[in-house]
Structure formats: structure tokens, C-alpha cells
Amino acid sequence: MTSSGQDPAATASSEAPPAPAPGSARNPRPAAEATALRKTFGPRVAVDSVDLALSPGRIYGLLGPNGAGKTTLIRLLTGLARPTSGRATLLGVTLPDRAVLARVGYMTQADGVYGDLSVGENISFYGAMYGVRDAAQLRQALELVELADRTDSPVESLSGGMRRRLSLACALVHRPAVVFLDEPTVGVDPVLRAQFWQHFHELAAAGTTLVVSSHVMDEADRCDELILMREGRILATGSAASLRARAGRDDFEDAFLVLATPAGRAAEDDR
């Protein structure tokens, strides 16, 4: 950056500007990183030697079948689980470190709301945990998921889809810098699902990094970049279009099968 007292003649110099320092606006520090990240549960390897660097302001789709290791990887990247080996950082902080969680949103695969509380009590509780007590900010989170008119409704009276909507509101109420969403659109109707994704893109445009775990392949094109997982390993990364081209398939589900199975990878190598 130039200072306010810069010599105007320096601006006209033909010399190339210096390379931006790591973490500058032109070369932002990754929002999350993993290096040789591994997690085992006894003899079972849940996450196997994962290397990642997630840039700010992008939507990453973490795709793979059930049991691929997606949820375990998310827990490692939030610091909620300790790796067996390897290293993870979040917003420049080496994990695990509870202090960084105040800047992170996490919507779990299971509904993380309290059935014996009302909608309003749930959002107030989660907001208070992050120091958010502004009524307008709490209401805005509920308006996003179209539950602002149900603040007095007990959660136990809500449908499954409504509970998913409330879980999302609770994950976003403090306006986090990084958001991890584990199967966020399961049980959500198509109209609201489209609204969710519209808001995800608005968040990314404002600089938020989102990691969206899913086994629904038709959500691939909604993401900026995809991370394909199977049996704890990353098989491929890239945009949906680039991965379809790499696999030689027009349908993304077919492309995933090519990239995810030994027979498919062998066929890809033979082309």
C-alpha cells in the first residue's frame, strides 16, 4: 500500500511494484489450511493425508458418499477434533484453538437446536454465546430462513425442514468469517433451497468462506470449487465444469463415478 506522503514521481516509475506480502489484499491468507491431515479411530482411517488451502470469499463444495470422511474433515478444520497427525489452521490460527471459534459458523448434520425452547429463545441463546444481543441482528437471521413469524413456536412443534432452517440461522447469527455447513439443504423444499444458495453466494461476495458438505451431486454447479472425497482421501479438486471435462462426462454424477472408482480412474488414464 502507498502512504499518503508518497512522492508522485515514484508513481510514474517504470519499475514493477513489489510482490504483495502474504496475507495482503492482493494475496490473501487462506481462510483454512490443512497439511498432511490425518485422523484415525482405532484401525479405521477417517481422514487420510489431506492437503487443502481454502481462499476467502469462495464457496467450496465438499462432495462424497456417506462415510467418505466429510464430517470428520470439517471437525478437524474447526478444531473440534484433534488430528492423529498433520496440521490445520483456521484464519491464521493453528488448531485446535477455541478462541478462533467466535469467528466460525458451524451447522451440524444433526439439528443443533433445543426442542424445549422456542424459535426465538434458540436464536437468542446462540446469539448470546457469540455476544450478539442486538434484536435487529437476531431477527435478520430468522428472516433469512423465513422463521421471523414463528419466534414463539416451540421447536418441538416444527417440521424437520423448519428445524434445518433454524439450525442455519443459529450458525449465521454472529456473521462469521468462515462457515461450515454439513448437509444444510437436507429436508428443505426446492424454493427455500434456492434461497439458501442465493444467500450463500451473497455471503461469499462479501468475503465469507463457505464449506458446504453434501452428497447431492446436483449442487455441484452452485459451488465455486469442489473437493471430491472418498474413503477419507481427496480424489480431485476444481470447478464442476473442469471436473466434468477431466472425466469426459456431461453429467456430474457420472463424472464423480469416473473420478471416484479405480475402474473409472483407469479408464481416465487410458484416454
Side-chain angles (χ1 to χ4, degrees):
M1 297 178 61
T2 58
S3 66
S4 56
Q6 182 181 13
D7 184 351
T11 306
S13 171
S14 60
E15 294 182 4
S24 72
R26 292 175 58 190
N27 186 23
R29 172 190 297 163
E33 287 184 281
T35 304
L37 202 59
R38 180 179 174 89
K39 180 67 175 177
T40 61
F41 296 96
R44 186 172 72 86
V45 180
V47 171
D48 191 4
S49 303
V50 164
D51 295 304
L52 281 177
L54 309 182
S55 300
R58 294 179 65 78
I59 301 175
Y60 292 89
L62 187 58
L63 299 185
N66 291 328
K70 303 187 299 296
T71 297
T72 301
L73 178 57
I74 286 176
R75 290 181 60 80
L76 291 170
L77 292 176
T78 56
L80 295 176
R82 290 181 177 271
T84 304
S85 60
R87 179 173 179 267
T89 63
L90 183 62
L91 298 172
V93 177
T94 300
L95 299 174
D97 188 321
R98 291 186 178 275
V100 77
L101 292 178
R103 302 176 62 197
V104 176
Y106 180 23
M107 179 181 174
T108 60
Q109 193 169 5
D111 295 324
V113 292
Y114 296 94
D116 54 347
L117 299 181
S118 69
V119 168
E121 288 169 336
N122 267 279
I123 199 70
S124 295
F125 171 74
Y126 277 96
M129 285 202 305
Y130 293 108
V132 178
R133 292 179 173 83
D134 179 66
Q137 187 168 337
L138 297 175
R139 182 175 179 81
Q140 184 181 47
L142 292 178
E143 287 175 344
L144 163 67
V145 298
E146 298 185 355
L147 287 176
D149 60 344
R150 300 294 298 269
T151 54
D152 296 328
S153 299
V155 167
E156 61 187 11
S157 71
L158 301 181
S159 67
M162 286 183 176
R163 293 188 187 204
R164 296 301 289 162
R165 288 152 59 180
L166 180 57
S167 293
L168 177 61
C170 292
L172 299 179
V173 65
H174 57 302
R175 299 171 182 169
V178 182
V179 181
F180 295 90
L181 304 170
D182 200 350
E183 305 281 0
T185 59
V186 171
V188 172
D189 68 77
V191 173
L192 191 58
R193 178 184 175 196
Q195 292 174 1
F196 276 12
W197 277 101
Q198 178 181 347
H199 190 68
F200 296 164
H201 283 282
E202 291 171 355
L203 289 172
T208 303
T209 303
L210 296 96
V211 179
V212 183
S213 166
S214 179
H215 62 269
V216 181
M217 296 298 165
D218 66 0
E219 295 195 330
D221 285 302
R222 300 177 184 268
C223 303
D224 297 315
E225 187 168 343
L226 301 173
I227 303 165
L228 306 188
M229 286 193 73
R230 184 181 174 90
E231 297 178 351
R233 300 185 67 88
I234 292 181
L235 304 174
T237 61
S239 68
S242 68
L243 292 175
R244 277 194 293 262
R246 174 178 164 182
R249 298 289 189 274
D250 293 328
D251 179 79
F252 189 79
E253 187 167 348
D254 291 341
F256 180 86
L257 292 174
V258 168
L259 298 170
T261 62
R265 290 196 296 273
E268 178 194 6
D269 293 339
D270 288 341
R271 288 205 310 272

